[in-house]
Amino acid sequence: AAAHLLQPHSEHAHYSLFFLNNVGGAIYLYCCALALYLYSADPAWTQSMLGKIFLPAAAFLSWTSCSVSCYVKVHSHWMYTFHRKLYSLTVITVISPIAHLLAICSWTSTQELPLHLLQVVLSLLSAYFFSCSSPECFSPGSFDVLGHSRQLFHVLLSLCMVVQQEALFRDFLWRRPALPRLFGEEHLLLACASILWLTFSCSLTALALRRRVQTRLTTEEA
């Protein structure tokens, strides 16, 4: 909120807040993946090969997305298109357990499926508007104030978060007692520890790039 709403003119504050924003985005993506894996995914899917590599893949993509976003902010925009596509790939990976659930479950078996479907639709739409400069590319100048892709991305992502939280809360209520039996206590503890590890890794990456920015800005000021 501080990065996007305040847009500080101090370059040091600007970079620091946007790096923090990137770290927060990576943590959010991975925590979504973890919550969907534990509370919403089909138990048979979590035991499959795809399910076993899901969390490591989500963690790696979240960290990579954070790193590339920070790097693009510091150095140049030549990787900006790559960063957009990488973010979309991360979003698709995160919602893959729900896509599988929607494909195999009967629509009369649970009341949460419409919420999950809406979550998937909003996630894909937000990823689309993040990765593509649409609709402003079709009519330059017409969407400078309202309706540009960055604005639509944030609105759709906010709606997606609301729907996602409601669907996850409903799944959490009925699956919580079965979690130790489904995954084992050690696996659950490792899953919680993975959040701390990702937070540490993303923060360390952001701090390293922030130090590089400070060195550059100090040199330019001198």
Side-chain angles (χ1 to χ4, degrees):
H4 287 281
L5 295 179
L6 297 181
Q7 288 284 348
H9 287 280
S10 165
E11 288 190 275
H12 291 279
H14 178 84
Y15 283 109
S16 297
L17 288 174
F18 270 96
F19 286 172
L20 182 62
N21 173 70
N22 296 335
V23 172
I27 295 171
Y28 164 73
L29 286 171
Y30 181 66
C31 286
C32 287
L34 181 59
L36 294 174
Y37 174 82
L38 293 177
Y39 301 125
S40 302
D42 178 59
W45 180 87
T46 60
Q47 301 300 320
S48 67
M49 181 61 67
L50 188 60
K52 290 179 180 178
I53 66 172
F54 171 72
L55 286 181
F60 176 76
L61 287 173
S62 297
W63 172 80
T64 305
S65 180
C66 173
S67 303
V68 172
S69 182
C70 291
Y71 185 86
V72 167
K73 192 73 177 176
V74 173
H75 292 282
S76 64
H77 293 280
W78 68 271
M79 290 183 65
Y80 189 59
T81 302
F82 171 71
H83 167 56
R84 286 182 164 192
K85 305 303 181 185
L86 179 63
Y87 177 84
S88 299
L89 175 62
T90 306
V91 169
I92 293 172
T93 301
V94 167
I95 63 174
S96 59
I98 300 304
H100 176 264
L101 185 70
L102 292 172
I104 65 170
C105 282
S106 169
W107 283 87
T108 59
S109 61
T110 174
Q111 296 179 347
E112 285 72 44
L113 284 182
L115 285 174
H116 285 310
L117 175 62
L118 183 57
Q119 171 194 336
V120 169
V121 171
L122 291 172
S123 295
L124 293 177
L125 284 175
S126 65
Y128 168 77
F129 284 111
F130 181 84
S131 60
C132 301
S133 297
S134 176
E136 59 266 26
C137 63
F138 300 110
S139 181
S142 300
F143 302 96
D144 290 348
V145 178
L146 292 175
H148 55 83
S149 57
R150 196 71 176 180
Q151 190 177 77
L152 292 173
F153 159 70
H154 282 101
V155 171
L156 290 168
L157 183 61
S158 298
L159 292 174
C160 176
M161 291 171 66
V162 173
V163 174
Q164 184 183 68
Q165 292 301 313
E166 179 62 26
L168 276 170
F169 181 69
R170 295 186 184 186
D171 290 337
F172 166 78
L173 290 178
W174 69 268
R175 185 173 285 191
R176 178 177 56 176
L179 282 184
R181 176 176 54 83
L182 289 174
F183 297 102
E185 293 184 0
E186 291 185 1
H187 186 74
L188 293 175
L189 288 174
L190 285 174
C192 293
S194 66
I195 299 175
L196 300 177
W197 178 250
L198 179 71
T199 302
F200 173 77
S201 301
C202 291
S203 300
L204 196 64
T205 303
L207 286 172
L209 287 169
R210 179 177 177 271
R211 179 174 296 181
R212 185 175 297 183
V213 168
Q214 288 181 319
T215 303
R216 189 189 72 185
L217 293 177
T218 302
T219 302
E220 291 176 353
E221 291 172 358

